[in-house]
Amino acid sequence: MKNQRLYCVSGPLTPEIDRPTPILPNLGLILVTVPRRREYGTLQMEKKYVSYCFIKAFVYVLLVQNIESLTLIQPNTEYRSCGNGQYLDITYGRYYCSNGSASVTDRMNTNCNYNSACTIQAQNNWLGGNPCVGITKTLEWTDACRAIWGEWGAWSDCPGDCTTHNLERTRPCLKPISCGAAPTDYISCKRLGCYSSSEISRATPNDVVYYSLTTDCLVAMDRTNITFRARAKHDISLALGSEDSSTSGTHYEIVIGGFTNSKSLIRFAIGGTECVNYNGSPLSESFFDEFWVSWTGGSVRVGTGSSIGSETFMTCPHSTPYTVNFIWIMTGYGSSGEWRFINDVACQHVMNSHVSLTTDDTSCNGVSVYACNSGYKQTAGNTQRTCGFGKILSGYPLVCSVSTCKIDMLFIIEASVYTSSMHSSLMAAIGNLVGSLQISSNNVLTGVITYDDYVDLNIQLNDHYSASSLNSSISSISIPSTASTVNLAEALRVGFYDFFTLSKGNRFTAFRHFVVIAKTYSSQTGATVADQIRINLKNQLFTVGISPSTSLITDLKAIAGDDSRYLQVSSIDDLYPQFNTLLQNIAVCPEISFEQLTVDCELDIVFIVERYNLRYTKRFLAELMDNITVSSNGIRVGMVLYDSGASTVFNLNTYTSSESVRRAIESISETNQTDHLVDKGLIEARDNVFTSTGGDRTDASNYYVFIVGPFESYPEAVAKDIRSSGSNYVFAIHIGNQYITEYQKAVDSCGDYTKYANVDSYENLITIKNDILQKITSCESVNITNPDCLIDIAFIMEDTDELSATDFNDMKSFFVSLVSRMIIGDTAIRVGVVTYADGARTAFPLNQYSTANGVIMGITNINQGSNAYNRSSRYVDKALKYIQMEFFTTGNGDRSNAANYYILLTGGPSAGNKAAAFGSAIRSIASSDLFIVGVNISTSQDSAILDMVDGDKFLKAENFSVLQCINDVVVPNITQCLDSVTPTSLVTPSCQLDIVFIMETSESSSNENYVFLKSFFSNIARKMDVSSSTIRIGVVTYNTDAYTTIALDAYMTPSEISDQILALPEGTDKRYLIDNALVHTKNNFFIAANGDRASAANYYVFAIDGVRSGASIQAEYIMKGWPSTVFAIDINSGYEKEYRRTAGDNSRYFYASSYANLSAIESDVIAAITKCPVPQPVTTTDGSLMFADVSAPCLNSLIYLYPEDLTEGKDGGQDTMYLMTDFVYTITSCSRITSWEFSHWKSGYIDFMVWRPSGSNYKLVAYNTIYVSGKNTTTYTVVEYERIAVLHGDVIGWRSKGDNLVTSGPCLGPCAEGYKASPNNVQIGEEFDWTNSGTSINGTAYAIKACLEDNTAISFPTSTLSAKIPDHLPVGSFVTLLEPNGADYAEVVNYTATQYQSYTNSMEYFAVGETTGQITVAKRMMKAKVLSDYAFLVIAKDSCNTTATATVSIQTQNMPPEVLGMPNIISITEETEGDTVLYTTIVEDPSGDSVCCSLESTLPKTNNFVVFGNDTGIRVNYSIMASDAPAFSYRQYNSYIVKLCCDDDEDKSTGVLIVNIKKPNKTTSYEPPHWFLLSVAVSCTPIFIMAASACLVLIHTMFVLD
């Protein structure tokens, strides 16, 4: 018992108690040992029982002598047994002798094992010891028989489902050891009244009052029987009634267990006559008993159990059975009752399309809530429905349609003699149906018409805006009189033509639903009208037949158009159950795509309508408006009414919406007139509607749409005039089969009648609606041509006597129609008109009108029969000459950079014989072309025309009336661009040239010859690089005298000088003194005042067609002044030798057999006169230097003198830099330097430099540095990556440290110009003022040249350049660098960025360096989860204007949070207190997202740690803390891995902290509390008292006398 204490315990044992040992078991005293470590707790719990323990012991001392005990003398035995269900319990046992004793109670119980019987043995081995060795012992004991099992326990709980389950109960085991399997009792859960949601539970009091089951929604409707359970002492009653009342209607009363559970019976009526009875006690009082009742087959029967028909104990036959709809229950007469009925009263949902169930409660009185899905709205039915008795939900199922749905509904209801008897109930039903609709201005509106043989409009759409008032109004519709015939077709017509108008409430955007309710077949069937109505997809038809005939069924189905839209009922009552089916049809917008037509063009449409049968034409036009989108910038609509005259109903700008146009159309009063003059309507539309004040737009196509019946009219002439002007189109809608040809010609003269439509009757107008709609909303394209070039066009109109007035007007209309198909303007096409006969005159010049309308007006105003010429003959040549010489001039608006087109219309071949020659001359001009439109030209006359013009430019028309039929052929021809107007490349020499064209203007070169000559020089000028710095061109004209006609500096572009040459007037002088012309040119033309440049070579290019001596002498004199050069063009002069001598070299002499053949030598002349002058070798007087051979070993070079000829000279320059500004050293193209070739006289370093003009200064672009050795001529090939990129106008230079190393020599001929200067330390990019800071180089030549090659074209390595960056980069951050291939040394590449089509907003977020190519962030980017992909186009352009394009694709990505300061390791002690901050870290999100952190896990798993952070934002502090009650133990776990998870809603990061537990320094010994010894003393006192008392009892027992 070391380390343990002994206690006396009375009462329940606690978990603190270890081994209980009975002391006085019959009094419930137990000795327990308690470990010392639990002593404090045990003492506190047990000391309150101490005094009670002593009292029990004292009582035992007093009473023990009276307890009967049994004894056996060793070694006797005794058999002890108990009854069934009991066990033997040894309550006391002592084995003793005079010298000692031993307690054997436990030993005896162990041996007997608490069995029902046991043999007691007074033997040492049986009792487990010998207290008195050698002495006979006595066994004394007491025992008792005790029950093995206790009383029955409680029944188990009711299960969730009580259909087949049983409840159970058991008895507890009372034996100290196991009793084995406990006895179990079972009972059906139904017998005890358990129930679940599948059953209804009701209780009835002891009050003799019937209670209806309708409160639980349980009724007898649609039933023939019912099962139930009930528990009562007696008297449970049911009443089966026809009404929901215990006092009215018929009843069967059923009494079960009445008369104190002795008699059951069935009565007719409550308390009524008894039908049958049963003597017995069917109620068990304590339990629920099952019964069933049935009322079918002419009997009411009652039985027990749950199976209908089994165990029947009452049957009441009834030949005329009552209706059973409701059930009532009752108890009384001293008994209350509990009832259980099957719960099968739940309602069933009826779910329509696009409906969601938000609250599902179909139990009795449960409210279910329904909602329309997203994008849909309620149009009918109820959103809340309550489940009532009979499994019926209140209201109607929710009907939903798209949220934009609007429905205008018309009920067309038969009100004939055949429906008069049901009229009130029918109207009530319709009112009830409409009452479930969502009637409002934004949802459903409803109207009603009734019909028999006459149609009544009862309710308009805008009469009611609430369902309740509409319901009431419909229900009150009466029939004043009825007819026995019905006209359903007319009812539909009234609905279609008269009811659905905006003034009656029809909403423009609403679907129109026709709901026909009919009972009687009509010979006037409505199928045809319905077909017309359905053409508009907005119109939907539905039909309901009430007990219809077969014929009516056929008609109603045809009207509906689809069997699913037809509903049939046998009576009005049958209509109610079909409400949901009907509402799903009529209250739902059809799932069809219905959008108003929009057009990609502007259309101005005027409807020109006869005042006749307007009921049909108004509806037709109103239906069109449902599909046409009218707006101020799309389609505009106007209207004209006509009869014998015409008037404007409204203009194009009166209304700006389709709805307002439809309203205006519907408001027109309906009158019938007898006249039908379409031409009056067309004229009214043209003159008063298609005007600027009427809203006509210049850029819109004008559509004249006239509607006419089967009446004669004469619109062709007016219509033809209208069609010729601009984009005007005429459409005809013709009713009937008379005068078809007349109206077809009104829309087109060429046989294209696609704009003509015909229908047989006015009522069938609606059937061609879609066809008309397609026609008048198609963007009729007149192929408005906007060429990519400038074109100046001359329309050349014949004005001879041969043309009638009609022909002349048709010709004007033809030219008007051409203009209407072209873009007229100063930046596109200009048009002028010339009329001709025996001569020609300008009707108006090119620059008179700058718009198509202006030109059209100008053509329209041209009158036939000019006095400027004789009209009896047709001279085409005179017209062509006039136009070339006098019309295409700057004063008339001719543009130098525009092609000149001659469009000549002729009614026959030309008089005279020069037409073909002039035609060829015109066509020889590179910037001109000739087109001929021939009218009435016979095949035999074709050859005369084809001599004038290319075959594909000769266009024919049969007569003037059909000229417009070839519009689409003419326009593409006369608007094609001429490639020769602006050549793709120009001839550019490597030197500056001043060129003069010396043109003969004598009689022999006049007329077509002069045109050929001008064409020749004009074409040459157009192909050369004319500018102020390269080639300049002037003109000298000559005959007897010579004239400076165009100075060198007058025109500085190829097109300008070319155009001015064409405008030169011809001469009539008979002489052609070329020698005088050469003298004039040398002395008076090549002067500074005329633009002559000292740095440019002077080239003389003359043409002559006759013999003139003296030219060679003047040319020789001219060419002594090198580089002046003479070129001769001999046009079959017959004086070849003279003109060859004049040219001085055969390469500069050119021969043409005629003026017409000048074009054959054009390319040779261009090649010759664009070569730079080449000086011939000459010997100087002192023989010191020769002109060098300028042929170079490289393809392109900047040279002056060849190096080998200058190998000795030193100019003495020290620390000097040189710049060569002469034109031979000037770079003339975009290229790069591949090598330097030079002579040097000693070793050293040379910088070869490139300078670029910058105002009056020069900027150093770059230089190549090389080291040369000794005296030599060196060709230095520059490495690829140092080849300097040079531009047009750059010049070269060099510098040396110390002596100038480049050799030089005196210059006797033409010398290079340049400068030299000190200091020579200018750096790249710096500018230097050579003019003021340098010294001119005079008389010295230097041996240096540079070789060139083409600049490398830049390109990007890939078409798409990709980069991936974080989405949080600040503005200005670097993204990527554009690095195209091919950028040469010192070359500047410029970058521009443009929007990429699919990424419209990317440009705002990024910037591209214009010259650096560096892409940076320009605006804070959106989060990557919102927008992560950006793209834009970049265009790189190098110094040669070569471009490269690439797509830059940038993808942003979110960056996860950064847990700063982790991973890390810390150490803590076991004594760390709760809520201690162990470690704090900073968490930052680089993308700027808010961060949230939490404890992810610990290893090993523990609750010792928590994470705390109360900051928000992108940079927050989080602490890892000890929990509120940590239990750290070094011996249990000396280390933890703590993981912190941080989340920015996109990415996660984990921080790891290792927490080590420090090993304790020492072990703490246990110190008992101060009260410990006192408690020990107090605890021991009762033991001592007990021991003393026991001794007293022993002495008393042993020594007291009997």
Side-chain angles (χ1 to χ4, degrees), residues 77-274:
T77 64
E78 184 175 338
Y79 178 77
R80 303 284 289 171
S81 65
C82 297
N84 186 33
Q86 294 182 319
Y87 69 91
L88 181 66
D89 182 18
I90 307 298
T91 59
Y92 167 73
R94 187 165 67 91
Y95 192 38
Y96 65 91
C97 67
S98 58
N99 292 336
S101 67
S103 175
V104 293
T105 306
D106 287 348
R107 179 70 178 187
M108 292 174 70
N109 275 324
T110 299
N111 290 338
C112 291
N113 198 31
Y114 300 103
N115 293 322
S116 59
C118 180
T119 299
I120 306 298
Q121 302 177 32
Q123 299 172 2
N124 292 338
N125 59 347
W126 195 80
L127 294 172
N130 186 356
C132 306
V133 178
I135 300 175
T136 301
K137 275 78 65 183
T138 300
L139 173 63
E140 180 183 20
W141 81 96
T142 60
D143 57 29
C145 290
R146 305 187 188 281
I148 297 175
W149 302 102
E151 295 299 323
W152 285 103
W155 291 103
S156 57
D157 293 336
C158 287
D161 180 14
C162 194
T163 54
T164 60
H165 289 75
N166 291 324
L167 305 183
E168 62 180 38
R169 61 180 180 174
T170 58
R171 300 176 67 180
C173 173
L174 301 181
K175 281 188 4 178
I177 63 175
S178 173
C179 299
T184 304
D185 192 12
Y186 299 94
I187 190 171
S188 167
C189 66
K190 291 183 177 181
R191 291 277 287 159
L192 281 182
C194 292
Y195 67 96
S196 61
S197 59
S198 62
E199 290 185 302
I200 297 170
S201 174
R202 286 290 296 270
T204 50
N206 175 24
D207 59 2
V208 196
V209 174
Y210 270 106
Y211 295 92
S212 174
L213 290 181
T214 55
T215 56
D216 297 294
C217 301
L218 182 60
V219 294
M221 299 173 186
D222 299 324
R223 299 177 188 267
T224 59
N225 58 72
I226 189 169
T227 61
F228 64 94
R229 290 179 287 131
R231 178 168 63 185
K233 292 180 181 180
H234 50 79
D235 287 283
I236 64 172
S237 300
L238 293 88
L240 306 178
S242 60
E243 299 179 13
D244 193 16
S245 170
S246 61
T247 59
S248 62
T250 58
H251 298 86
Y252 294 111
E253 184 178 33
I254 301 168
V255 180
I256 301 175
F259 307 95
T260 63
N261 198 21
S262 63
K263 182 180 179 179
S264 302
L265 53 85
I266 299 175
R267 296 188 181 109
F268 298 112
I270 297 174
T273 304
E274 180 179 307

Side-chain angles (χ1 to χ4, degrees), residues 756-774:
Y756 168 83
N758 181 265
V759 65
D760 59 354
S761 66
Y762 283 91
E763 187 172 354
N764 283 334
L765 264 175
I766 199 69
T767 63
I768 62 171
K769 171 203 163 186
N770 290 335
D771 179 44
I772 298 301
L773 190 66
Q774 184 177 8

Side-chain angles (χ1 to χ4, degrees), residues 1136 1234 1319 1328:
E1136 179 181 344
T1234 59
F1328 189 76

Side-chain angles (χ1 to χ4, degrees), residues 1-31:
M1 299 289 288
K2 187 178 182 180
N3 293 329
Q4 294 189 341
R5 294 292 185 266
L6 298 174
Y7 293 102
C8 173
V9 178
S10 176
L13 298 181
T14 70
E16 300 290 332
I17 299 173
D18 284 354
R19 297 189 312 235
T21 304
I23 303 175
L24 299 175
N26 54 335
L27 292 182
L29 294 182
I30 302 172
L31 175 66

